[in-house]
Amino acid sequence: MKESIAELIRKLISPSQRFELRKVSAWLRDILGRACFWRWEIARFKLREDSTFDILYVGRKAQREFAKVLLGAQPQVADSQLKVQKSERTVLVSEVPTPGALYVPHYLSAVVPLSRSLDEITARYNTELRRNLRKNRLRYRLKQALNDDEIESADREMLQPYAKARHGSAASQIATQEVHRVAKVAGRLDLVLLEDQVVACHLGCVITRAGKRYWSTVRFGYPDSVFTDTKKLREVNSITTFMALEWAIENGFDYYDIGTCLARPDDGLLEWKRRRGGDVDTLNNHGYLFVRLPKVGAAQFLWETPLFAVEGKHLTLHLGLPDGPSDEEVANRYREMGFGGLYKIYIHYAKLPGEELLETLRGRYSHLKSPPVLECIQST
């Protein structure tokens, strides 16, 4: 009886409404987790040993290490050894909103709009990537994993080992029953074959948001023989992503979501996905850190640690322009930050940038149909 009621509810609610319900449910779980104030702490740490800024963290103890990773912290002295600096150069990072704080998402998706042809999408790939695809694509094929043995083998030999290889013992593994559910009900699990050898797998699901259909990567997986060989992994990874893109186009999807990664502008994985046409999107994000910039030196802090932030339904990027770096150094610093999907870019400056530099920065987004607005904010 329970199954029949659940099935009836599914028929009455549209896919877009189900997506919104899942989003609200995840948001509520996140809020309830934050509400456990007895698990909170107040801690102080630095992102870099030589940084002039210190971070005052207020939130769950278990989330402190994640906050460090999200903000790009490097190995350094133990938190307890830090001396308290002047409050003017303290960055407040909290799990609850504070006045004037930036709403920094935990994760972002890289979403490729499929309103263009495959040739138009790949036209913006770099020369090496296009050459790799032309040379190797025909050697690979997809095979859907349909039976339990194939699904369990892919999970055991590719999904779990690759996640552990990338993130160590702290890797967030997908429960085996969830892999089965996605593979059989919510999406599909594809094995990637090079000739007759399985070299990768792709677990994906269908998401419908605001009436648009997304083919969304849940997880990539690779066997030990692939992910321990850097050159081979680079080739197979590119081919696997490209084949998922092809499949999404062939099956009439509006977008291909390459998957989630840390919402950190300097993150190499996010840049890798950007070079494959992925626009940043909060599609699968449900959590935030609230970052209040220092009273003194915000331009320098954001130069060291650029931040994404959400304003209403819009995604923005905050960059720093301290007094010191040349225009060429600034252009090089932000060379890889030409993300699509941004509403606005804030330039926090210590010295007003010249029009030539601003034009260079605008040029990072000139290929977009709707480039973001650049807004300059003076920093003390």
Side-chain angles (χ1 to χ4, degrees):
M1 176 61 108
K2 289 183 179 179
E3 290 184 358
S4 62
I5 293 175
E7 189 62 33
L8 178 60
I9 292 174
R10 287 183 62 85
K11 291 179 179 179
L12 292 175
I13 300 176
S14 71
S16 293
Q17 289 172 327
R18 287 198 294 271
F19 170 79
E20 293 300 331
L21 287 173
R22 288 195 300 270
K23 185 176 179 180
V24 170
S25 176
W27 177 79
L28 286 173
R29 286 196 301 271
D30 180 67
I31 291 296
L32 291 173
R34 292 168 190 258
C36 301
F37 295 110
W38 57 90
R39 298 175 181 168
W40 280 41
E41 66 170 3
I42 298 177
R44 199 175 283 268
F45 59 86
K46 284 188 176 184
L47 299 180
R48 296 160 191 83
E49 193 167 1
D50 60 351
S51 177
T52 60
F53 304 96
D54 64 316
I55 308 296
L56 181 63
Y57 172 75
V58 181
R60 288 168 291 177
K61 184 176 182 179
Q63 288 293 102
R64 188 195 341 151
E65 291 305 313
F66 175 80
K68 289 183 178 183
V69 172
L70 181 61
L71 297 175
Q74 298 174 350
Q76 56 202 285
V77 295
D79 300 347
S80 59
Q81 297 176 9
L82 292 177
K83 294 181 180 179
V84 177
Q85 298 184 357
K86 294 181 180 180
S87 60
E88 288 81 3
R89 299 189 74 85
T90 293
V91 180
L92 177 61
V93 176
S94 174
E95 285 212 276
V96 294
T98 56
L102 302 180
Y103 283 46
V104 178
H106 287 176
Y107 299 98
L108 290 177
S109 292
V111 174
V112 183
L114 303 182
S115 55
R116 303 160 291 167
S117 69
L118 188 61
D119 287 342
E120 289 175 305
I121 294 172
T122 57
R124 295 203 59 83
Y125 289 7
N126 63 44
T127 303
E128 181 183 355
L129 177 56
R130 292 199 304 272
R131 186 187 303 117
N132 174 38
L133 294 174
R134 284 196 303 269
K135 179 181 177 181
N136 298 303
R137 170 63 185 89
L138 293 179
R139 301 167 60 212
Y140 291 81
R141 61 189 175 89
L142 290 180
K143 175 189 173 186
Q144 185 177 4
L146 296 170
N147 62 61
D148 290 345
D149 288 343
E150 287 180 323
I151 296 170
E152 289 172 9
S153 177
D155 183 34
R156 182 179 62 253
E157 298 175 13
M158 290 187 283
L159 292 174
Q160 294 192 38
Y162 181 57
K164 187 175 182 180
R166 288 183 59 206
H167 304 292
S169 58
S172 175
Q173 299 285 5
I174 303 175
T176 300
Q177 60 267 29
E178 179 63 11
V179 174
H180 278 266
R181 188 192 71 82
V182 174
K184 292 185 172 182
V185 180
R188 56 188 279 151
L189 174 64
D190 285 306
L191 306 178
V192 179
L193 283 76
L194 172 57
E195 271 83 45
D196 294 322
Q197 179 186 6
V198 176
V199 293
C201 68
H202 174 268
L203 183 66
C205 69
V206 180
I207 293 176
T208 304
R209 178 175 70 166
K212 301 294 184 180
R213 295 173 70 243
Y214 295 69
W215 178 236
S216 180
T217 292
V218 177
R219 193 70 59 92
F220 291 108
Y222 303 94
D224 178 84
S225 60
V226 172
F227 67 69
T228 56
D229 184 328
T230 303
K231 183 178 179 181
K232 185 180 292 185
L233 176 61
R234 186 183 303 117
E235 176 186 312
V236 176
N237 199 7
S238 294
I239 293 290
T240 302
T241 305
F242 181 72
M243 293 175 75
L245 170 66
E246 283 184 317
W247 192 89
I249 292 174
E250 291 167 1
N251 287 272
F253 284 87
D254 299 293
Y255 297 92
Y256 168 48
D257 168 24
I258 308 178
T260 59
C261 46
L262 284 171
R264 194 172 71 212
D266 278 326
D267 183 66
L269 179 58
L270 186 59
E271 292 174 1
W272 185 90
K273 293 178 178 181
R274 178 190 62 77
R275 290 193 290 270
R276 283 150 181 79
D279 294 344
V280 286
D281 193 302
T282 57
L283 177 66
N284 290 304
N285 178 72
H286 308 295
Y288 295 86
L289 280 179
F290 302 94
V291 179
R292 194 167 70 194
L293 299 175
K295 293 180 180 179
V296 174
Q300 181 63 43
F301 176 76
L302 290 168
W303 170 262
E304 299 172 7
T305 310
L307 294 172
F308 288 113
V310 170
E311 295 181 6
K313 295 183 178 180
H314 298 299
L315 188 60
T316 66
L317 176 61
H318 291 255
L319 305 177
L321 188 58
D323 189 7
S326 66
D327 286 3
E328 183 179 0
E329 289 174 314
V330 174
N332 287 332
R333 172 71 178 98
Y334 298 131
R335 183 177 302 279
E336 297 294 334
M337 295 192 187
F339 300 102
L342 295 172
Y343 165 69
K344 186 178 288 188
I345 297 174
Y346 293 96
I347 307 293
H348 298 252
Y349 67 89
K351 181 180 179 181
L352 185 65
E355 189 56 36
E356 184 176 347
L357 175 58
L358 291 177
E359 281 303 311
T360 298
L361 295 177
R362 290 189 185 99
R364 299 281 183 265
Y365 308 90
S366 60
H367 63 285
L368 301 171
K369 289 184 178 180
S370 300
V373 176
L374 258 65
E375 181 174 326
C376 294
I377 300 176
Q378 187 171 12
S379 167
T380 54

